[in-house]
Amino acid sequence: MAGIGFQLQKLFKEDYYSSRLKAYLYSLFVTAGPWLIVIFTILMLQILLQAVPGVNSLNKQLFMISVSYCFMFSQVLFGFQQLVVTRYTADCLYEKKEEKVFSSFLGFSAVTAAAAFILWLVFALLSPLQWEYKFLMLGLFMLLNLIWIMLLYLSGAKNYQSIALAFLAGGVFSISCMFILLKWNPFSQGEWTPAWIMMGSFTAGIAVTFLWLVNSMLKTFPNRAASLPFEYLTYFDKYPQLAFTGIFYNAGLWVSNWIIWVSGGHWLLGTFRYHPGYDTAVFYAYLTILPSYVIFVVSIETRFYERYRDFFSFINDGGTLTQIRKSKGKMLLVLKQEIERLVRNQGFISLAILFLALFIFPLFVNADLILGIFRITLIGAFCNGMTMIMMLLLLYFDDRVGALITSAAFFGGIALFTLLMLPAGEAGYGVGFTAGSLLSFVYSSFRLFQYVSKADYYAFCKSRHTRIEGPFHNLSRRLNRLAGAE
Amino acid sequence: MRVGMIAEGSYPYVSGGVSSWIHTLITGMEDIEFSLFTITPEKKKESELKYTLTKNTVHHQNIELITDLPVNRVKSNLTKEELSLLFRWFTFQTLDPQALLILGNREKMGSVDEFFESESFYTLVQECYEFEELYGSFLDYMWMWKSMYTPIMHLLQQDYSKVDVIHTASTGYGGLIGTYISIVQNIPFIITEHGIYSREREEEILQSSWIPVIYKKRWIQLFHHLSKIAYEQAEDIITLFEKNRGYQLELGASPEKTAIVPNGIDINTALTLQGKKPVFHIGAIVRIVPIKDIKTMIYAANTLRRWGYDFHWSILGSDEELPEYAQECKDLVVSLELEQWVTFTGKVNVQDYLLSFDVCVLTSLSEGQPLAILEGMAAARPWVATDVGSCRELIEGREEDPYGACGFVIPPIQPEELADRLRWFINHPELLGRMGQNGLNRVKNDYLLSDVITFYRNLYAERGEKVGRHRIPAAKII
């Protein structure tokens, strides 16, 4: 992540309005990236679908839910490896072994694809849906998984433009495809269900994005030696905390939905559990914290990053103690200022929306349940976004334990409070989500400032022992041998 | 009676010098048991032993300066007072032996790694950096600190077997654990220094390239500090000759503790005469290494030949230690066309050759108290040697010496001067015997091995009895 700020600063220094806008757009794509893009596409689709006649709500629901499931589970799957791989590639670059980065991409993709297939197989065997539809879902699921992976490598290589273009192209393609096919249905009546057509169009659009990204991957990595693609797995032995941080955070985003689906949700076609009110409310709540991502990238990753870099260069490149202490003071000050600003700006936006939701929306919207949940989850989403940012900052300082505790508190808190609030029924929906997010936000802020105020101590004295053997070392060796790379 | 003998980087893994001194001492006292503590840079194998341990060496403990991490990790837990004492110790402001007890206490300090990861360590190192007003790279300072105190803590955190008297052959790390054992076990501590450890380290540090220049002074201070602590704790500070005693006094040894006990040699009555040359025979008893400055001998031989003298020069000693250097010397002999005059015998029994020499030569750049000179003197051979270590003392005698010189002392790296002195001997053959006799007389009176052994045996006994294991510890009396 630390590299993004650099690129952005260049953009901000050119003082035109257009490049400033460009910077904000990039920030949005990179940080919130995958998540927002898909949500945005779905939102567009929903609006479009209203303009298309002859698609019943069951078809719409099936389509929306299958996309959501693919999206949700691919993120959880990706989350398990994301931080570990990021660390691995960062280390490769630091050690000037760039050639290993692309190999790890291949290994990462292979492992993810295998896991995705197994997950899908379980799903497919249990679901009564048509196999044609299930295969389409497999296609989408795989593509999404691989896209997240490429995003990690491309944003690491600061190739933001191609990311943005890839998603734009894919989005335009899937929406127009869907619109055309549904409006002037060329197929004979009843051959394909509208859900299938929508799913097919969406997947085709995602495939466009995928191919676009593959193309830019190949351009970004001209030297593509495939030596030891599975070596990255050894990092699961070295930094197990990172794997757990990723899985806890990504599962934490969804765990309240899961619990509510099980206890109060509905079945869709004997396949999907969902809860229309809760899901919609949380979805909209998440939309309210979009500005945080932009503010984070722009303010923290630019102004803060500069101080951060100074501090560590004094530590590593022979600064005196006075220099180290001064730069730490400056860094802490900027960190405090920027976090305050972030909380203030996002807080203002969230409060404004909350105000609207309390007093103005009820005049127009006639869904008390959704509005009620939205009001409370809005606050939760705020804490949720802050938690993510604190966690990223903790990882900036290599406080892996702090990040792990934060994400565990995030997941555990939300799960626990949601379970505790179940007896209250629908009135309690969202309270658990908000309480859990608040807990992790409070903890992570304390941890962050406590940790950073001793950043020099940790940089100099923290143990750097990592495991040099373990089950993942064996697995890595075996898979590499299997791939004929050893 | 059990004596603990500390050898740093020497006995029983290196031959010659201090090692052979320790071996001779232990061999000479069959009635006393020895515990041998050897400090080595890294792990040593049985096959690397250069000496077979004697029967009375009842215990041999190897302590490596760098070892694998201990499995059980102990958290560091120090009080304010302890930290402030450590601060003063680390900044060389105090010699208080209490600091060693803290450093050696695993429960308090934590294991070496745990200590270096603790916040107390970080606070300490910052305080010291500020106190010393060094203003260099703090990272370098930190590294220096860790590399300075890792071996020290590691050595102090070992368990040492019980002995009645502890005797070290050097200050430095050897002196450090000697001091520590002496305090912990409440037993007397004896130091015998052949070379002056802190001076030797000083030279090494000044020449080293891995220490940043601004931190060299601190490294040197550390070894002076360790020497001072050892001198403070020791009951006896012994050295081989007067010059070194002077250095010890300079470094803080109190005069009443110091004593001079030179090396000793047996008078061998069964010397044989072999390899007698029909011409004037010059002998050198040296290993073929640069510090012995073999090339000066070769140039001197060349000069002598140019002046038209007939002679033969035998260089006795192993050439295996540094084969490249040995080859250089041999090539030099060939290129000067001296093959008929100079021969390298390789490692031979010196006793077989001694009597065939008319005069012996030593051209070292640095020496302590060379046994070679004593061997030559014991065989009544006259000498030409460089003025290093105690060579002058051996050849000319100490103050008020009644026996007279047994040869000449010349400055190092002076082939002309050496050739000139040898020419004098060639021209005055009648004086060879008299000078040789002077040397023999001096050895008989001042440098007998049996005297050295008796001295140390008595010292062990006296110290052991007076303050040894069975006395009532001071703490109990109070």
Side-chain angles (χ1 to χ4, degrees), chain B residues 78-265:
Chain B
L78 293 159
T79 66
K80 262 214 171 88
E81 291 73 37
E82 286 163 343
L83 279 170
S84 97
L85 175 62
L86 286 180
F87 167 74
R88 276 176 289 134
W89 196 83
F90 283 139
T91 47
F92 314 128
Q93 300 180 80
T94 176
L95 300 175
D96 190 346
Q98 200 63 32
L100 295 187
L101 292 181
I102 299 173
L103 285 169
N105 188 336
R106 235 173 307 174
E107 309 295 313
K108 278 190 196 299
M109 288 300 281
S111 63
V112 178
D113 287 316
E114 284 289 351
F115 177 65
F116 286 139
E117 284 170 21
S118 71
E119 291 192 48
S120 351
F121 161 70
Y122 188 61
T123 315
L124 253 179
V125 80
Q126 288 182 84
E127 281 172 1
C128 292
Y129 177 88
E130 287 180 314
F131 175 82
E132 290 171 34
E133 302 185 338
L134 285 165
Y135 303 123
S137 157
F138 189 62
L139 183 70
D140 285 348
Y141 186 79
M142 197 89 163
W143 274 111
M144 172 183 72
W145 245 73
K146 286 187 183 175
S147 33
M148 271 183 180
Y149 296 115
T150 301
I152 290 179
M153 284 177 57
H154 178 70
L155 289 175
L156 293 180
Q157 292 194 351
Q158 306 295 319
D159 295 319
Y160 293 101
S161 71
K162 292 244 184 257
V163 290
D164 299 306
V165 175
I166 185 77
H167 187 179
T168 180
S170 69
T171 59
Y173 296 128
L176 179 78
I177 64 172
T179 310
Y180 182 69
I181 293 172
S182 158
I183 299 167
V184 170
Q185 302 189 12
N186 194 24
I187 51 167
F189 176 36
I190 302 165
I191 301 173
T192 301
E193 274 191 290
H194 287 225
I196 302 301
Y197 187 95
S198 45
R199 284 175 61 89
E200 287 167 6
R201 283 297 87 72
E202 189 168 334
E203 276 169 35
E204 244 176 55
I205 290 163
L206 288 173
Q207 284 164 18
S208 75
S209 54
W210 62 273
I211 303 173
V213 180
I214 52 164
Y215 294 136
K216 283 191 173 180
K217 194 177 145 212
R218 197 186 198 279
W219 270 103
I220 294 167
Q221 279 178 316
L222 172 74
F223 286 107
H224 285 315
H225 187 60
L226 294 183
S227 288
K228 277 184 199 151
I229 291 169
Y231 290 158
E232 190 75 18
Q233 176 68 19
E235 212 99 359
D236 299 275
I237 304 164
I238 298 162
T239 186
L240 301 178
F241 50 95
E242 189 56 47
K243 209 197 259 173
N244 276 356
R245 181 172 166 270
Y247 293 138
Q248 288 177 331
L249 295 177
E250 242 173 70
L251 289 166
S254 59
E256 65 274 13
K257 290 182 181 176
T258 59
I260 295 176
V261 181
N263 276 328
I265 186 128

Side-chain angles (χ1 to χ4, degrees), chain B residues 299-311:
Chain B
Y299 287 121
N302 193 36
T303 309
L304 272 182
R305 186 195 54 175
R306 230 178 43 227
W307 290 339
Y309 290 99
D310 207 7
F311 65 95

